[in-house]
Structures are given as C-alpha cells and as structure tokens.
Amino acid sequence: MHRIITVAFLLCTGIALSASAADQDQTKVVKINDSIYMVPTTGNVYMVTTPAGNVIIDTAMSDFAAEAKKLLAAENREPVKYIILTHGHADHIGGIPLWKEPGIEIIAQRNYVEFVNYVTRLEGFFAPRNAAAFNRPAKEVGPWAGNYGANIEPTILFDQEYKFMLGGVEFQLFSTPGETPDHLTLWIPAYKAAFIGDNYAGIGIPEPMSFPNIYAIRGTKPRWALDWINSIDKVLALKPEVVLNGHGDPIFGNQEVTRRLTRYRDAIQYVHDAVVKGMNSGKDVFTLMQEIRLPPSFNLSESFGKVSWSVRGIYDGYAGWFDMNPSTMYEVPPSSVYPDLVRAAGGPDPLVRLALEKLEAGRPVEALHLTDVVLAYDQKNSAALGARLKALDYLRERCENYVEAGWLEYGITKTKEKLASQ
Ligand SMILES: [Zn+2]
C-alpha cells in the first residue's frame, strides 16, 4: 500500500510558511506506482520514469531542491528529459538551476512568462510582505530588473494543450488556470494520473479539507474563481484514479478524487455566486464579508483559505477599489484626521479606554481600529500599544487560519518592539 503522508503543510503561495513538518518527511520517497515517485517537500517534487528517460514535475524551493534531487536519483539514475512546471511559484520553480542541463526541455503554460515577470517586477514590494507573512528574513532585493526582467527558463510554452511521448508513455498537458493564471495539469493516461499543482491544496487529508485562498493577503492579482471552477471540471472529466498535488498527499481512487474535487469546486462556486448576487443587489464588500458563510454541509475548514478574504478578493477583482463614497475618491486617507479625533476626544486616554472596553466586549478588531487612531496621534503611546497587544493576542488565541496567524504574530512582534523601545 502507498504510504499516506500526514504532513499537512502549506501553501500554494510561492513561499513556504513552515518547513518544520516538511523536514520530517523529506528523507523519504513515496512510490505512487512502479513509474511515479514523489518527494514530499516544500512544493512536492515528482519523477515519472520511462524506458527512454525521466520526467520531473516541479522542482521545489531552492532550499529543498538538492535533497529532493538526491533522493530521486537514488531511485532511478536514468537521464532527465523533461521538467514540467505546474506553475511559476517559487516553491515549484526554485530548484530549476539544479536540475537544468543542456538538452532537457522545460515546459510551462504560456502565462508563466507574464506571471514570473510580474513577481520579479514587484520584487521590492513582495519581499517585505513575504518576510512578514512567513516570519522569515526579508530577501535581499537587487536593483529593479524592469518590467520584463525575469529569468524565463522554460524552453517549451503552450497555450491550451501540449502532448509528447517519451519511452512509449504519453504525457498530456492542459492549461488549467486557478491559483495562478499559468497553472497546468499534466495527465498521463496510462496511469490515470493527474498532476494538478496547487489547484487543489492537498492539505486536509484526512479531513477536514480547507477552503482555498481565492485571494492571498500577502498580495496577489485576482485569482479568477470561474477559471478555477472550469479547471477543476477539466480535471474531473479525465476521470483520474490518482491526483498528485503540489502540497500534501495524493488523492487515490476516482470516487475519492471526485468527492473531494467536486466539493472544492462547488464551494468556490458557492462563494463566487454569493458575491456576485450581493454585488448586484448593491451590497458593499464589508457587508458581504460578514454575511457570506459556507453552509456546514460543505464540511470545509478555513485553516488555509479564508472565505471572507476570498469574498473581498472576488469583489475587488471584479470592481476595483472605489466604493461609491465621494470621500474615498481622493488621495487623503481617513487616517489623516485621526490625530484630530484624538484631540477632539481630549487626548488618547478616553480612546484607549474605549479600545479596552471593546476588547472586553469581544470586539477586538474595533479595539485595533481605535489603537490605530491613537497611534496616528502618538506612535509611542504605551497605553495604546498595550491595548493593541491585548487585542492582537486575543485574535491570535482564537485564530485557526495559518496565514492569519502569521500576520497576527507579525503585528504582535512589531508592537512588542515598539513597547520595548520606550
Ligand atoms: Zn505551492
């Protein structure tokens, strides 16, 4: 029997949230069948062997790539002929330089080019956000590489479909945009195996499975829900007997594949359609973030993707930033009058008291907003920093979402630093 890995880590983000779970399992190769091998690491790496050479699917983050390569080479030393990139996130393409050799074809969907250019174009913007979200040192960012400055490694790019034969095995590739616009699915008919990258986060095996991140708050372009739904349908139509994910465990058996992917697809559809209906009825984004909940029958957690963030991602993805309020049309933000509010209140103390009362009443986000007001007036106000820390701790203790937890911990660290520097 296949060894079922219980590692349930992350993350479809381009950056690993935590490698600790991965570390435990990286020393093992999982044999999916006689020809497919998997290294469960930060971005799973797969090898498909054929009598004419091997195919690698994804290359892991650069930090983990060498170990993955060593492990796979120990299983089979025949030459690699193709590298297939399910998408352009760093946890899937970071190992390319290690694998790349003259004569190896590297295949990606055509949107890969713009996707990695976009990531490179905004490297200076993303670096501190990724560092904060994943609690890691900020990446050194060099001079701006320009709008089209990314290193484009693929040698074969395709639009909708691409097929090739190797050693009598047919490899079929399909464009399946979802978590990123360049996502592809590799289908090997002979093994009824579909490699779908991060379009299904293989976390949550066993249950509960998590809702996806239709918007990643570290900063992403809109992830188009309807594309994602169509891509899952494309995978389901293949009737796979095994689905190999970019993270976490494979899904075995067509019945289980169908059950999981259908539920995932239907959940995305439910949230998308609820947002669209709400928008058409004139509801604002915050109302919809509060109102839209997945019915319990979906039995999905929000440990990875949060429904409310996805609601806002879909809303803003369709409509952009303007909310019909003339006061938000201008370059003067609400925070410009925060110091005036503090003065009008007679100083920080009444507002800090109010923040603590809000917290006491179980309204920690309102407490945070009030500390924002006071800290705009006096960024070193220790009472406001103390109230802020309490509100952040309150939220962290109750938080069940990995990504949210990361940002709360970032806020807690920053607040503690400010308090310590008093
Ligand atoms: Zn990933």
Short mmCIF file of all heavy atoms in Angstrom, two decimals, residues 12-13 87 91-92 198 247, ligand 1:
data_model
loop_
_atom_site.label_atom_id
_atom_site.label_comp_id
_atom_site.label_asym_id
_atom_site.label_seq_id
_atom_site.Cartn_x
_atom_site.Cartn_y
_atom_site.Cartn_z
N CYS A 12 0.98 26.83 -1.48
CA CYS A 12 0.44 27.40 -2.69
C CYS A 12 0.67 28.90 -2.74
O CYS A 12 -0.12 29.63 -3.30
CB CYS A 12 -1.05 27.14 -2.79
SG CYS A 12 -1.55 25.64 -2.03
N THR A 13 1.70 29.34 -2.15
CA THR A 13 1.88 30.77 -2.05
C THR A 13 3.11 31.23 -2.76
O THR A 13 3.28 32.39 -3.01
CB THR A 13 2.12 31.15 -0.60
OG1 THR A 13 3.27 30.44 -0.18
CG2 THR A 13 0.97 30.80 0.24
N HIS A 87 3.30 25.51 -12.25
CA HIS A 87 3.07 26.96 -12.22
C HIS A 87 4.33 27.65 -11.73
O HIS A 87 5.28 26.99 -11.31
CB HIS A 87 1.85 27.33 -11.37
CG HIS A 87 1.96 26.98 -9.91
ND1 HIS A 87 2.01 25.68 -9.46
CD2 HIS A 87 2.03 27.75 -8.80
CE1 HIS A 87 2.09 25.68 -8.14
NE2 HIS A 87 2.11 26.93 -7.71
N ASP A 91 8.04 27.99 -4.82
CA ASP A 91 8.17 26.66 -4.20
C ASP A 91 8.02 25.53 -5.22
O ASP A 91 8.05 24.36 -4.85
CB ASP A 91 7.18 26.48 -3.03
CG ASP A 91 5.75 26.84 -3.39
OD1 ASP A 91 5.56 27.57 -4.38
OD2 ASP A 91 4.83 26.40 -2.69
N HIS A 92 7.88 25.89 -6.48
CA HIS A 92 7.79 24.88 -7.55
C HIS A 92 8.89 25.04 -8.59
O HIS A 92 9.22 24.10 -9.28
CB HIS A 92 6.41 24.93 -8.20
CG HIS A 92 5.30 24.71 -7.20
ND1 HIS A 92 4.69 23.49 -7.03
CD2 HIS A 92 4.77 25.54 -6.26
CE1 HIS A 92 3.80 23.58 -6.04
NE2 HIS A 92 3.84 24.82 -5.56
N ASP A 198 -1.17 23.40 -7.52
CA ASP A 198 -1.82 23.91 -6.31
C ASP A 198 -3.29 24.24 -6.54
O ASP A 198 -3.88 24.97 -5.75
CB ASP A 198 -1.08 25.16 -5.81
CG ASP A 198 0.30 24.83 -5.28
OD1 ASP A 198 0.65 23.64 -5.21
OD2 ASP A 198 1.03 25.77 -4.92
N HIS A 247 1.17 20.24 -2.94
CA HIS A 247 1.44 20.17 -1.49
C HIS A 247 0.57 19.08 -0.90
O HIS A 247 -0.56 18.88 -1.32
CB HIS A 247 1.11 21.50 -0.81
CG HIS A 247 1.92 22.64 -1.33
ND1 HIS A 247 3.14 22.98 -0.80
CD2 HIS A 247 1.71 23.49 -2.36
CE1 HIS A 247 3.63 24.00 -1.48
NE2 HIS A 247 2.79 24.34 -2.43
ZN ZN B 1 2.86 25.79 -3.94
#
